[in-house]
Amino acid sequence: MTEFELIRRHFATLAPGRADVVLGVGDDCALLCCPPGEALAVSIDTLVSGVHFLPGCDPAAIGHKSLAVGLSDLAAMGARPVWATLALTLPTGDGGWVEGFAAGFAGLAGAHGVALVGGDTTRGPLSISVQVHGFVPADHAVRRSGAAPGDLVCVSGTLGDAGLALRGLLAGNSPDDWLCGRLDRPTPRVALGLALRGVASAMIDCSDGLAADLGHILEASGVGAELELQALPLSPEVARAVVDRGDWTLPLTSGDDYELCFCLPAAALDRLPGLASAGGCGLTVIGRIGAGPGLVCRRPDGSSLDLVRSGFDHFAGEGG
Amino acid sequence: MTEFELIRRHFATLAPGRADVVLGVGDDCALLCCPPGEALAVSIDTLVSGVHFLPGCDPAAIGHKSLAVGLSDLAAMGARPVWATLALTLPTGDGGWVEGFAAGFAGLAGAHGVALVGGDTTRGPLSISVQVHGFVPADHAVRRSGAAPGDLVCVSGTLGDAGLALRGLLAGNSPDDWLCGRLDRPTPRVALGLALRGVASAMIDCSDGLAADLGHILEASGVGAELELQALPLSPEVARAVVDRGDWTLPLTSGDDYELCFCLPAAALDRLPGLASAGGCGLTVIGRIGAGPGLVCRRPDGSSLDLVRSGFDHFAGEGG
């Protein structure tokens, strides 16, 4: 099967049509209409076999996740997703794998009205690069740099689930379906991101782990923060793991949760229930922005956790 | 060195600034201003080590080429390049390699005023995906589908040089610098593509080889073509190789030349010198579009070349 057939069969027909796609897959470039008065938001991310997913992972899950990580970046800017492009590098022209991958990709694309407008398929070690495109009025985009002392630090959903699932899989266990779903099929918080336009002072998605991702907000904003560890939203599974091991690295430094971490002016606290409802997910206040530099994590007994000893590898995982 | 440092050090500072970049590398997404009244043209391409370039290839050449293939796609639509994103997968955080790559990438980006606005750096087998972004008034974009019977088939530059260089390298020879440059540092015909807006009836860039690429025009346009092999523009090196071996596969089926193949209404023939001047490259009429299907290649003696026996692998190399 040639790459043209691969792409045509599995992608071109599965992607939803959009009126703003003048010309989609099949020419030298896609041609796209941009709405007047809004900024184009773009992000590109790569998933590599053995680095971002385990070899043998369900191709439909890989298809879902390869788009989800980009949609999560759009969500973290408050952007409305519209288009995606896909660069797929495959060891062989494996039709079954491509079919599964395409189904996972198309399922999430369809749910968010995202059209696949271009791609490239090449031979090589399995990896997937997806660029997502969205729109947001430039002055409503939520950057990392707007956090101010006194703002509340909030997070959506629960933290550490994906890390716990990965830990279980690497140990040869079989984590339950819910936990595996948190790793393999993360939910990009697109509706929440849109609801936080013009409300959140700063935002980022938790792809590298809360401490690192919040750290980017602190660095970009020139502020510090203090978190209350007992306030972190944890699933029962992660809460048990934290208690059993007595360490907080799972919710603080394991990545891949794709929840949104955002800062909220304290005066907007009463909007939290409405935002949670709009976003279709739980929202939790976990701490507060301060003027001093760095991140302080308070244990329930008031002592401070040493984050340096919870270090991890920055190299993989950051969208730009 | 973390990926953040890699990206910041070598890319963020090298890319030219543009007034239409509201927010570049360093947040969840880049934020970009689209000019009103024009269509956004995008194309994504991946280069994989051992597939699209030889292991050990000069990283500056890889940096140049990874952007050039995308700019060539923009040229083939008649689009003006503006931004690029880069997804770089590296076996190790090799600072020297990244520095060379960035220099090659930035050199070509600067020459075309292209800003690097986002990226992702991951660990894994060496591969590079670049998405390019350009603008063109939608009704001036040159598609593959507009060729009509009677149109002249034209091509820029010379054909088969990159294939001859690759053949030499694979045989353990040392092709001369000019020939290696044609393989490693192709020149995207951006100025020519702009000049052909509203003039060419159909256009494509020669990435997979003339026969395959012209074949895409013929298929998309529902026409056929007849080429005169003696009219093909050949460098002295390729001309010698064709004569020595008595076969035409080098200019017809070897890829990577990144010349533009376009169709021109016969009435526009007298514009060719002006277009060549605007494009800064030679332009040659090599055949004519006909109503019947398929591609016929006439030898100097009037006999027809059997293209089926000059087959090659479609899988790698197509931008979408």
Side-chain angles (χ1 to χ4, degrees):
Chain A
M1 194 189 307
T2 70
E3 72 154 338
F4 307 108
E5 289 162 352
L6 278 174
I7 290 175
R8 281 185 191 148
R9 262 200 217 175
H10 294 297
F11 295 105
T13 59
L14 284 174
R18 290 185 59 99
D20 52 17
V21 179
V22 181
L23 186 65
V25 174
D27 211 304
D28 292 289
C29 295
L31 292 177
L32 307 162
C33 274
C34 303
E38 293 193 83
L40 171 66
V42 303
S43 178
I44 188 166
D45 281 289
T46 301
L47 301 186
V48 178
S49 179
V51 179
H52 300 92
F53 55 86
L54 299 173
C57 179
D58 174 14
I62 300 170
H64 174 103
K65 191 165 183 174
S66 68
L67 179 60
V69 299
L71 296 183
S72 181
D73 283 322
L74 290 176
M77 295 300 288
R80 167 178 55 86
V82 288
W83 313 305
T85 56
L86 167 65
L88 183 57
T89 302
L90 280 175
T92 57
D94 178 341
W97 192 95
V98 170
E99 191 171 359
F101 177 90
F105 189 100
L108 188 63
H112 291 279
V114 170
L116 182 74
V117 297
D120 189 24
T121 309
T122 55
R123 277 214 181 98
L126 180 59
S127 82
I128 305 110
S129 292
V130 172
Q131 178 158 324
V132 292
H133 310 70
F135 285 96
V136 57
D139 52 358
H140 288 173
V142 187
R143 308 184 181 197
R144 298 178 179 176
S145 54
D151 285 356
L152 305 169
V153 180
C154 307
V155 72
S156 65
T158 53
L159 297 171
D161 302 316
L164 183 59
L166 181 61
R167 190 185 280 182
L169 289 171
L170 291 175
N173 303 326
S174 298
D176 71 30
D177 285 352
W178 182 83
L179 212 56
C180 283
R182 291 284 289 163
L183 175 66
D184 287 342
R185 292 176 176 272
T187 302
R189 302 298 188 188
V190 173
L192 177 62
L194 292 174
L196 285 166
R197 277 184 183 179
V199 179
S201 57
M203 183 152 55
I204 193 169
D205 69 323
C206 290
S207 53
D208 293 342
L210 176 67
D213 294 316
L214 177 56
H216 295 317
I217 286 182
L218 302 183
E219 190 186 354
S221 300
V223 294
E226 187 162 322
L227 297 187
E228 302 296 332
L229 290 179
Q230 78 271 24
L232 295 182
L234 307 180
S235 63
E237 291 87 340
V238 170
R240 197 176 315 124
V242 168
V243 169
D244 286 353
R245 294 169 179 254
D247 84 71
W248 292 87
T249 56
L250 211 47
L252 284 175
T253 66
S254 70
D256 266 5
D257 283 321
Y258 299 101
E259 297 297 345
L260 293 181
C261 173
F262 58 96
C263 300
L264 200 66
L269 176 61
D270 60 357
R271 298 186 61 173
L272 219 51
L275 292 166
S277 173
C281 55
L283 296 179
T284 309
V285 177
I286 60 174
R288 194 177 279 269
I289 297 294
L295 177 62
V296 175
C297 296
R298 293 271 172 228
R299 289 200 186 84
D301 66 5
S303 67
S304 166
L305 181 72
D306 185 351
L307 273 170
V308 175
R309 296 199 315 181
S310 311
F312 63 104
D313 183 3
H314 266 231
F315 190 88
E318 160 71 2
Chain B
M1 193 188 308
T2 71
E3 72 155 338
F4 306 109
E5 289 163 350
L6 276 175
I7 289 175
R8 281 185 191 146
R9 262 200 216 175
H10 293 298
F11 294 106
T13 58
L14 283 174
R18 290 185 59 100
D20 53 16
V21 179
V22 180
L23 187 64
V25 174
D27 211 303
D28 292 289
C29 296
L31 293 176
L32 307 162
C33 275
C34 303
E38 292 194 82
L40 171 66
V42 302
S43 178
I44 188 166
D45 281 288
T46 301
L47 302 186
V48 178
S49 179
V51 178
H52 300 91
F53 54 86
L54 299 174
C57 179
D58 174 16
I62 300 171
H64 174 103
K65 191 166 182 174
S66 69
L67 180 59
V69 299
L71 295 183
S72 181
D73 282 323
L74 291 176
M77 296 300 288
R80 168 178 55 87
V82 288
W83 314 306
T85 57
L86 166 65
L88 184 56
T89 301
L90 280 174
T92 58
D94 177 342
W97 192 94
V98 170
E99 191 171 357
F101 177 91
F105 189 99
L108 188 62
H112 290 279
V114 170
L116 183 73
V117 297
D120 189 23
T121 310
T122 55
R123 275 212 183 98
L126 180 59
S127 82
I128 305 110
S129 292
V130 171
Q131 177 158 324
V132 292
H133 310 69
F135 285 95
V136 57
D139 52 357
H140 288 174
V142 187
R143 306 185 182 198
R144 297 178 179 178
S145 55
D151 284 356
L152 304 170
V153 180
C154 307
V155 71
S156 66
T158 53
L159 297 172
D161 302 316
L164 183 61
L166 181 61
R167 189 186 280 182
L169 289 171
L170 291 175
N173 303 327
S174 298
D176 70 30
D177 285 352
W178 182 83
L179 212 55
C180 283
R182 290 284 289 163
L183 174 66
D184 287 341
R185 293 177 175 269
T187 303
R189 301 298 188 187
V190 173
L192 177 62
L194 292 174
L196 285 166
R197 278 184 182 179
V199 179
S201 57
M203 184 152 55
I204 193 170
D205 70 322
C206 290
S207 54
D208 294 342
L210 176 66
D213 294 316
L214 177 55
H216 295 318
I217 286 183
L218 302 184
E219 190 186 357
S221 301
V223 295
E226 188 163 322
L227 298 187
E228 304 295 331
L229 291 179
Q230 78 269 26
L232 294 184
L234 307 181
S235 64
E237 291 87 341
V238 170
R240 196 176 316 121
V242 168
V243 169
D244 286 354
R245 294 169 179 253
D247 83 73
W248 292 87
T249 56
L250 209 48
L252 284 175
T253 66
S254 70
D256 265 5
D257 283 320
Y258 299 101
E259 296 297 345
L260 294 181
C261 173
F262 57 95
C263 300
L264 201 65
L269 177 61
D270 60 356
R271 298 186 60 174
L272 220 52
L275 292 166
S277 173
C281 56
L283 296 180
T284 309
V285 177
I286 60 173
R288 192 176 279 269
I289 297 294
L295 178 61
V296 175
C297 296
R298 294 270 170 227
R299 289 199 186 84
D301 66 5
S303 65
S304 164
L305 182 72
D306 185 351
L307 273 169
V308 174
R309 296 198 315 182
S310 311
F312 64 103
D313 185 3
H314 267 229
F315 190 90
E318 161 72 1

